Amino acid sequence: EKLMMIDNSETIIKSASDTVKEEYLRSSIEDYPLTFEQHVANYDELNGVIEENSVDVVLSGLSLHWTNDLAESFKSVKKILKPDGVLLAAMFGNDTLFEMRTALAVAEQEREGGLSPHISPMIRSADTCGLLSDAGFTLTTVDTLNIEVEFVNAFKCMEHLSRMGESNGVINRRYNMRKETFIAAAAAYQSLFQNDDGYIPATFQIVFMIGWKPHESQPKPKEIGSAEHKLGLLGKNYDFTRNRGS
């Protein structure tokens, strides 16, 4: 069996590969030999790196928001999967860091009289199923989870985001922002969102998704018009209370 690790950062690939190999060797799973491959590529470039119909499972953890073309990336993943192969992914959703967005918008509008993007755009959970279906996936499932992380102040939050490698990735972003605007943003963050314990929350919305490459063995919907009963009649000819306990 083969495990392929792919990212657009060679540094991240090296670090992840070393960690996975150490864990694999520590587990001593002799009955399941693995070979490891590393590739530096974007999601929408997978077809130039991996053969079509050659992968059983694609796992993606919190990195899809860095792709330039999410729709094309899903299509690229679908091509490399074998029939009945599955994509299991988690990515940041649109509600991520909404507190930071709000505070920066308030401060910049007040101090500089305009707005500019300071946080990379992220997908709306409502759009995820549509993108997966448009890429050709079936049996799609999407769910969300909001995680709140508490910080002492906005500057600590920004520091952690920078250390995570999650700085603003928008090409036409402003590279300089006045110090007084940052201070005003921190004050707005504190004023609008500080909790009873004196901390400020930073919300990270995680969008989880599952999509399968079509295969003849998968369940398929009934043909349109094949129903034998109308939904409008549901319950009219059946007493739902008759089987209730006393």
Side-chain angles (χ1 to χ4, degrees), residues 59 90 138 210:
L59 303 174
T138 61
I210 303 174

Side-chain angles (χ1 to χ4, degrees), residues 52-124:
E52 293 187 16
N53 303 309
S54 64
V55 177
D56 294 297
V57 181
V58 172
L59 303 174
S60 176
L62 302 181
S63 59
L64 274 168
H65 63 289
W66 281 111
T67 185
N68 290 321
D69 189 337
L70 188 57
E72 192 60 36
S73 295
F74 283 150
K75 292 177 183 177
S76 181
V77 170
K78 188 223 170 197
K79 285 181 180 179
I80 67 172
L81 282 170
K82 296 177 182 177
D84 205 32
V86 63
L87 164 67
L88 300 171
M91 65 183 298
F92 290 118
N94 191 55
D95 284 345
T96 296
L97 298 174
F98 76 87
E99 302 96 341
M100 181 73 75
R101 296 175 195 267
T102 303
L104 285 168
V106 169
E108 195 169 22
Q109 183 68 47
E110 176 193 354
R111 298 293 170 137
E112 303 185 25
L115 298 174
S116 56
H118 294 285
I119 296 175
S120 301
M122 298 171 194
I123 192 172
R124 295 192 308 162

Side-chain angles (χ1 to χ4, degrees), residues 14 22 29 35 40 73 79 87-88 91 107 112 134 163 165 171 186 189 191-192 200 207 211 217 222 230 232:
K14 176 73 166 56
E22 288 176 8
I29 309 178
T35 58
V40 178
S73 295
K79 285 181 180 179
L87 164 67
L88 300 171
M91 65 183 298
E112 303 185 25
D134 289 345
R163 290 176 180 270
I171 293 177
Y189 204 139
S191 174
L192 293 170
I200 59 168
V207 179
S217 66
K222 296 281 188 180
K230 295 181 179 180

